[in-house]
Amino acid sequence: MATRPFDVDGSPFFVAEGIFAAEIVAECRRRGLLAGAYALRRPRGATFLRRLARDLGEQRKAPRVLLRRGLTLLRAEPAVLRRQTGLGAEAARAGEVLRGVAALLAGHPRRP
């Protein structure tokens, strides 16, 4: 795995997002940098349809390949969420994440 410097001097927070963001939760917590860690919990069917529509619209691959890939990801999603929460992220819906981040920015961290 490659590493590179990441400077957040002068910033009250940084946001890491994406499927691999949970990988840095433990280290950020250890360094006292963690204000919150979230893994988005969305309806799987909606995620499948959004992804399929995006990929078909962008003509990334043949429709049959996209459908097969989408179904594979649909089935794998619970395991991905379990892994992210196992790494320290909190499973939350988008609205919960937005409210939590807004509270942090307002100086009133959400209490578990």
Side-chain angles (χ1 to χ4, degrees):
M1 179 184 318
T3 62
R4 60 180 166 219
F6 180 67
D7 183 11
V8 293
D9 287 343
S11 300
F13 302 104
F14 73 93
V15 174
E17 75 83 35
I19 194 164
F20 299 110
E23 302 288 339
I24 65 171
V25 168
E27 183 64 18
C28 288
R29 182 175 284 127
R30 188 185 72 72
R31 293 181 184 211
L33 299 172
L34 188 67
Y38 305 100
L40 278 181
R41 186 179 62 224
R42 293 186 166 160
R44 290 171 44 201
T47 300
F48 167 78
L49 292 174
R50 265 191 236 107
R51 182 184 294 126
L52 184 61
R54 179 200 65 201
D55 292 348
L56 287 171
E58 294 176 4
Q59 298 179 343
R60 291 177 174 219
K61 292 181 172 61
R64 185 184 319 182
V65 172
L66 294 174
L67 185 60
R68 191 175 29 217
R69 175 183 172 270
L71 290 171
T72 299
L73 292 172
L74 175 79
R75 286 189 289 274
E77 194 168 324
V80 170
L81 189 60
R82 278 193 306 275
R83 183 173 188 288
Q84 290 173 328
T85 57
L87 290 170
E90 174 188 347
R93 296 199 179 279
E96 295 169 311
V97 173
L98 292 173
R99 285 188 295 278
V101 171
L104 288 169
L105 291 172
H108 304 287
R110 181 178 63 86
R111 303 285 180 213

